[in-house]
DNA sequence: TATAAGGTTAATTTTTGGTTAATTTTTTGA
DNA sequence: TCAAAAAATTAACCAAAAATTAACCTTATA
């Protein structure tokens, strides 16, 4: 009897351990109905979700916890969603948190602006909650968190160890220069997200150093050369910049 | 009485059954929300976790059980987290239990102080629960490796005895200065990990002393000279720092 | 207080790789 | 289908980083 209970206990524990970890999602939207609806659907899908009607309260929340993903309405009453996005991206702490934008208009220009500001995806209103949840999952899947372990993989043949500054392709180590490594790091920590050449340069050298942005092309070339077959994951988005796509 | 015996039995069985995973983690944090969140995530990851809002209760708990890892908020209402850390490290009983510090500010000085006091890692608020869990796993993983002898070997010709402050190359002892030894220790306890010159300097002298980082180059040179053939394991990563690579 | 040991600095040489600019190829839209 | 724009490629140049060397402090100790 006791034995059985012990067994069960163990089995249950194991199952828990294998289940996906709770993912915290923050939603900022000034329309209570929509906020409520989104929250319900996210929670039904097993996410931990927190909603905010004002940017103000959202910022308060941010001081205590960093969510795994942020859903942001472009149109907020107190602040502009784009400004929030810009702010988040400028802070080291939050810069790696993926953002999904909710936009009222499906204008192509908005999309571009969103991409340039660092959003990882955008959903146009009106939207179906199911679609939003699907997008959330897609972005998270792409992301494949690096945190803590300091290791990430791209297309399961390329592994990047941030502590060791080591890159391996199918267990063969590849020598990268510091700059090449940093670019790869930037792109791979936000898979799918497009980075402009200026953004990459800022990441590399900060604002002080002024360098022609064509330089990035050359670094990308070197990277691609060294990565060989795995270079297929580094993609150019014409007119905008570069990204990693698995 | 019977209850006690059953309990004992269960505990023993459980430990046997899931040797790597039945890890007990204690968290001390005065903010109920954060405590709750962390507990949820740790448990979902398969850890046994106990939370404490006050240092007082945590100490009571310590009299009964020694956790495998402690997560400690630097800012506690009744006691200073640093004092708790100092106390734990001073007691033979608890000195080998790894500690992860939660700090409100990302002040560099705090970090160093924490590390000097024996904390194994630190996470700055706000943090993502996932990151914390990943750090916990990383610290535990590291712990396992170091446990036991206190002797490390590099590329099976270089042995380092941390207790005796002794370095041998193929059974011939090598005389190192304290500084050289410390650098070798730092690099060899986290093989492969690249340390910047600043990190090495912080490890050597803390933050008070201000020294030009070129100094490290000279120490490395001396080290390499003394290590002879084994110096091949000390590698420079241009633009980043030094590491040991086997 | 003289001495030795070890840490630091500074100056010089060597090596590496980041930047530029010129050229070719590719993409896109009129 | 053609012209313009953007990206890829290539090689030369040069500046930054590391290695090396020697001289100079600092501190502990006899």
């Amino acid at each position: 009897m006791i034995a059985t209970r012990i067994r069960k206990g163990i089995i249950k524990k194991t199952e828990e351990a294998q289940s996906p970890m709770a993912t915290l999602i923050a939603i900022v939207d000034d329309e209570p109905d929509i906020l409520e609806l989104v929250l319900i659907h996210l929670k039904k899908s097993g996410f931990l979700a927190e909603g905010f009607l004002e940017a103000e309260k959202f910022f308060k929340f941010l001081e205590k916890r960093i969510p795994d993903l942020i859903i942001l309405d472009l149109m907020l009453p107190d602040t502009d969603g784009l400004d929030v996005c810009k702010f988040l991206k400028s802070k080291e702490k939050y810069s790696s948190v993926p953002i999904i934008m909710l936009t009222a208009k499906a204008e192509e220009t908005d999309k571009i602006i969103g991409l340039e500001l660092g959003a990882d995806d955008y959903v146009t209103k009106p939207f179906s909650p199911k679609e939003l949840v699907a997008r959330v999952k897609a972005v998270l899947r792409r992301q494949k968190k690096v945190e803590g372990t300091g290791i990430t993989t791209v297309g399961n043949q390329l592994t990047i160890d941030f502590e060791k500054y080591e890159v391996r392709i199918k267990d063969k180590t590849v020598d990268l220069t510091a700059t090449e490594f940093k670019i790869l790091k930037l792109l791979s920590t936000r898979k799918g997200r497009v980075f402009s050449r200026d953004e990459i340069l800022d990441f590399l050298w900060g604002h002080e150093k002024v360098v022609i942005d064509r330089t990035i092309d050359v670094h990308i070339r070197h990277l691609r050369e060294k990565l060989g077959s795995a270079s297929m994951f580094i993609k150019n988005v014409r007119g905008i910049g570069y990204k990693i796509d698995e």
Side-chain angles (χ1 to χ4, degrees), chain A:
Chain A
M1 184 54 200
I2 288 171
T4 327
R5 278 173 59 196
I6 292 167
R7 241 230 165 80
K8 270 186 184 169
I10 292 168
I11 289 165
K12 207 184 156 209
K13 258 250 129 59
T14 323
E15 277 168 355
E16 271 179 10
Q18 283 170 349
S19 73
M21 240 190 281
T23 304
L24 181 63
I25 298 178
I27 310 105
V28 192
D29 196 312
D30 62 307
E31 290 170 84
D33 298 350
I34 292 182
L35 191 61
E36 187 64 23
L37 190 73
V38 171
L39 282 173
I40 287 170
H41 278 267
L42 285 173
K43 284 176 180 169
K44 272 206 172 178
S45 300
F47 295 107
L48 299 174
E50 293 272 354
F52 305 90
L53 288 166
E54 304 134 47
E56 196 62 39
K57 286 187 178 166
F58 170 60
F59 285 128
K60 277 255 172 70
F61 170 82
L62 272 186
E63 282 167 22
K64 290 194 169 181
R65 303 177 201 177
I66 299 180
D68 299 293
L69 186 143
I70 298 165
I71 299 172
L72 200 57
D73 189 5
L74 199 63
M75 306 300 214
L76 291 174
D78 49 348
T79 325
D80 189 343
L82 284 179
D83 289 335
V84 177
C85 190
K86 245 187 276 185
F87 168 78
L88 291 171
K89 208 195 63 179
S90 71
K91 296 284 172 187
E92 164 83 15
K93 266 204 163 131
Y94 311 117
S95 63
S96 69
V97 180
I99 297 173
I100 294 180
M101 292 268 229
L102 299 180
T103 67
K105 291 171 193 170
E107 306 253 323
E108 203 69 29
T109 47
D110 287 335
K111 289 186 182 180
I112 300 304
I113 290 168
L115 281 176
E116 279 182 343
L117 281 170
D120 292 72
D121 204 349
Y122 39 83
V123 176
T124 54
K125 290 182 180 180
F127 58 87
S128 84
K130 273 189 184 174
E131 188 199 342
L132 181 58
V133 171
R135 298 260 186 165
V136 165
K137 285 180 179 171
V139 168
L140 288 173
R141 207 180 313 121
R142 241 187 322 191
Q143 188 84 357
K144 229 187 250 172
K145 281 281 167 161
V146 188
E147 281 168 352
T149 68
I151 297 175
T152 192
T153 61
V154 177
N156 74 349
Q157 54 170 312
L158 177 67
T159 61
I160 306 160
D161 188 322
F162 298 121
E163 281 204 337
K164 295 185 177 177
Y165 281 80
E166 205 175 73
V167 175
R168 251 169 290 131
I169 300 172
K170 296 174 200 159
D171 295 326
K172 279 190 69 180
T173 62
V174 180
D175 264 353
L176 299 185
T177 70
T179 310
E180 286 153 13
F181 189 89
K182 280 184 184 171
I183 293 175
L184 186 61
K185 177 179 181 175
L186 179 67
L187 297 184
S188 63
T189 45
R190 302 282 303 277
K191 289 170 196 161
R193 152 99 151 81
V194 184
F195 290 89
S196 71
R197 290 177 178 77
D198 281 345
E199 280 179 306
I200 296 173
L201 282 174
D202 280 353
F203 176 74
L204 289 177
W205 313 119
H207 272 303
E208 328 87 58
K209 204 173 176 181
V210 182
V211 172
I212 277 185
D213 63 356
R214 292 283 111 202
T215 302
I216 296 301
D217 297 32
V218 180
H219 288 309
I220 292 283
R221 154 117 178 85
H222 292 329
L223 250 178
R224 283 175 168 159
E225 202 166 55
K226 289 179 179 176
L227 294 183
S229 63
S231 68
M232 62 188 286
F233 300 120
I234 300 179
K235 286 172 188 160
N236 171 266
V237 179
R238 195 185 172 84
I240 299 186
Y242 294 93
K243 69 170 172 176
I244 277 189
D245 241 358
E246 300 185 284

